[in-house]
Amino acid sequence: MADSKNGGTPMLDELEKGPWPSFVTQIKEMAEENKSCAALLQLLERSYEEKIGHWKHGGIVGVMGYGGGVIGRYNDIQEEFPDIAHFHTLRVNMPSGWFYNSDALRTICDIWEEHGSGLTNMHGSTGDIILLGTTTDQLEPVFAKLTAAGFDLGGSGSDMRTPSCCVGPARCEWACYDTLNLTNDLTQEFQDELHRPAFPYKFKIKCSGCPNDCVASVARADMSIIGTWRDEIRIDQAEVKAAVDSGLNIQADVIRNCPTNCMDWDGDELHIDDSNCVKCMHCINAMPKALRPGKDRGATILLGSKAPIVEGALLSSVLVPFIKLEPPFENLKDLIERIWDFWGEYGKNRERVGELMQRVGLGNFLEAIDVEPIPQMVAHPRDNPYIFYDEYFEEEEEEEEEEAAESLTV
């Protein structure tokens, strides 16, 4: 059997079989005109054979004035694979909602084929345009041409990662705030935090226009900004009746799937107890012509989600149940900066903000960022009935301290 030492890639060839597009096929296409891609195929086959990864992080590389945006990659057998001794990755800040025209895409590809491997990832998990594979001496020329074309680098390292969002009001009728405007505004406002790492660890902001959460912010963002409403769901009773008459099993497909059982159908009208609605969007998704979000719209701010890297995975917890999001978004920016101030002072190295919340306790965290505790922050009722909480009155405590001091004086 041929192997990587003889120029064959039998194990990689297996990944081209089947009905789905293969990254191996794409690399092979680029390998015809780019020697670094040809070397990449051989190194990858070698790794599959030996079950050992041959990439290492060999130091800090970047562009002048920036601490993030470039991820250094070096292989550990450079004498055998000199064409990919360096194979650095660039993160390029994407447009809000990932909207491009064809000229912009061609510009990026032309720059990268000239100065890099030509391989791209559209897009990385943070949201950025990922340019895979270049050498240290090509970083500054790539950066110069990208900035001349109107692009900037994204975030990497212990900084604010590139904010990302869903398409929002550009193409979605359920958007409860302008995700595109907010994402662009936050990106422009926090340039220093984006490009110059100064945090204990990474901080991701993802903006979803409605509770469908199409960017999965509740699982992947330190701060999730999810659109919602606080008035009643709008109901078109005629469209409800039409959906039922056309074959929709409203009891099985809608009402019984409501997580709080707040809906009722009497055969003529649909009734919703909005005080118990948790804005899950299921009924609206099932009957989009009949139901719509309310008109008093804003967002819920959640905090603390992360993947299981240092500690276990976390989902975001509610921090602010409802906030109006209107330019210049000063209320949100002020909250973000208060969180960063506390996290920056008390966070440990490589400790995400959700882990800090767990370590110091929600009560202490809320007090530090000047946010009042509210019932929506409770993930689940307490499960120990033998713990009791006495009311705390600061004034009474001060009086007791004064009386104690007087008695000592006497």
Side-chain angles (χ1 to χ4, degrees):
M1 178 183 291
D3 56 26
S4 59
K5 294 180 181 179
N6 299 321
T9 57
M11 299 185 77
L12 291 182
D13 295 345
E14 288 294 316
L15 298 178
E16 294 187 274
K17 298 177 181 179
W20 311 112
S22 170
F23 73 94
V24 175
T25 302
Q26 303 300 317
I27 298 176
K28 286 182 177 179
E29 289 179 2
M30 290 304 301
E32 296 176 1
E33 53 190 71
N34 189 298
K35 60 183 180 181
S36 67
C37 291
L40 177 64
L41 286 170
Q42 298 304 311
L43 182 61
L44 188 56
E45 180 75 16
R46 175 88 163 263
S47 293
Y48 280 17
E49 292 170 357
E50 300 175 350
K51 299 181 174 62
I52 297 174
H54 286 287
W55 294 105
K56 63 177 182 177
H57 185 86
I60 301 300
V61 292
V63 299
M64 187 68 69
Y66 281 25
V70 179
I71 303 168
R73 292 287 183 265
Y74 306 85
N75 81 66
D76 62 359
I77 42 177
Q78 297 182 7
E79 66 283 355
E80 295 185 49
F81 297 94
D83 291 330
I84 50 173
H86 302 183
F87 205 72
H88 307 315
T89 292
L90 274 75
R91 287 180 177 165
V92 180
N93 200 326
M94 70 292 179
S96 297
W98 302 285
F99 283 102
Y100 306 91
N101 59 29
S102 56
D103 288 340
L105 291 173
R106 288 192 181 95
T107 297
I108 293 171
C109 292
D110 288 345
I111 292 171
W112 195 234
E113 287 182 3
E114 180 181 358
H115 296 283
S117 69
L119 299 175
T120 65
N121 178 359
M122 308 287 283
H123 292 261
S125 60
T126 297
D128 303 273
I129 305 164
I130 305 298
L131 305 182
L132 294 161
T134 192
T135 55
T136 303
D137 62 308
Q138 292 298 316
L139 292 176
E140 289 293 346
V142 171
F143 179 59
K145 290 189 177 181
L146 286 171
T147 53
F151 288 93
D152 198 358
L153 296 189
S156 69
S158 297
D159 61 8
M160 183 186 83
R161 298 300 178 84
T162 313
S164 64
C165 65
C166 66
V167 295
R171 295 195 63 183
C172 180
E173 59 186 320
W174 306 137
C176 294
Y177 71 95
D178 191 339
T179 57
L180 307 171
N181 188 11
L182 175 62
T183 300
N184 182 68
D185 192 285
L186 293 176
T187 302
Q188 301 299 330
E189 176 75 17
F190 296 121
Q191 285 288 296
D192 197 55
E193 290 78 7
L194 178 64
H195 293 309
R196 296 167 184 89
F199 292 162
Y201 203 16
K202 66 185 80 169
F203 190 93
K204 298 179 180 180
I205 299 175
K206 296 188 185 296
C207 304
S208 289
C210 79
N212 280 326
D213 194 15
C214 289
V215 292
S217 67
V218 76
R220 304 189 302 133
D222 297 273
M223 175 170 280
S224 311
I225 305 173
I226 301 179
T228 189
W229 64 96
R230 59 181 173 183
D231 54 347
E232 297 180 350
I233 294 177
R234 289 178 286 166
I235 306 175
D236 186 331
Q237 298 291 356
E239 288 291 349
V240 176
K241 192 72 164 59
V244 173
D245 292 342
S246 65
L248 174 69
N249 188 334
I250 193 170
Q251 291 292 342
D253 298 336
V254 182
I255 293 175
R256 292 175 191 167
N257 287 323
C258 176
T260 58
N261 297 315
C262 70
M263 308 181 73
D264 179 64
W265 167 251
D266 62 12
D268 294 314
E269 289 190 344
L270 179 67
H271 303 279
I272 300 178
D273 178 8
D274 287 275
S275 64
N276 283 314
C277 175
V278 292
K279 316 294 193 296
C280 74
M281 290 290 291
H282 172 74
C283 61
I284 296 176
N285 293 332
M287 298 189 294
K289 291 184 178 180
L291 302 175
R292 302 187 69 80
K295 294 183 179 180
D296 187 8
R297 300 181 177 188
T300 297
I301 308 298
L302 301 96
L303 197 67
S305 70
K306 59 176 282 293
I309 298 176
V310 178
E311 304 239 353
L314 295 173
L315 295 180
S316 290
S317 302
V318 172
L319 185 67
V320 180
F322 187 86
I323 185 174
K324 283 287 189 180
L325 290 177
E326 298 172 350
F329 310 110
E330 292 301 330
N331 52 352
L332 176 61
K333 293 173 185 175
D334 180 62
L335 174 63
I336 292 173
E337 290 179 341
R338 296 201 306 271
I339 293 169
W340 285 348
D341 285 344
F342 181 70
W343 180 46
E345 184 171 358
Y346 294 101
K348 297 179 180 180
N349 184 40
R350 294 179 68 84
E351 181 177 50
R352 300 283 282 272
V353 70
E355 294 166 325
L356 173 66
M357 289 169 60
Q358 284 190 327
R359 179 167 61 85
V360 304
L362 183 60
N364 292 325
F365 183 81
L366 294 174
E367 184 178 357
I369 65 173
D370 195 24
V371 172
E372 291 293 323
I374 51 175
Q376 288 91 334
M377 297 174 181
V378 178
H380 55 82
R382 68 180 188 185
D383 51 15
N384 189 334
Y386 299 104
I387 296 177
F388 301 94
Y389 298 90
D390 294 327
E391 292 186 352
Y392 179 79
F393 295 97
E394 188 172 340
E395 293 179 1
E396 290 184 3
E397 187 178 76
E398 290 176 356
E399 291 176 0
E400 291 174 358
E401 290 176 353
E402 291 174 359
E403 290 175 0
E406 290 175 2
S407 64
L408 289 173
T409 304
V410 172

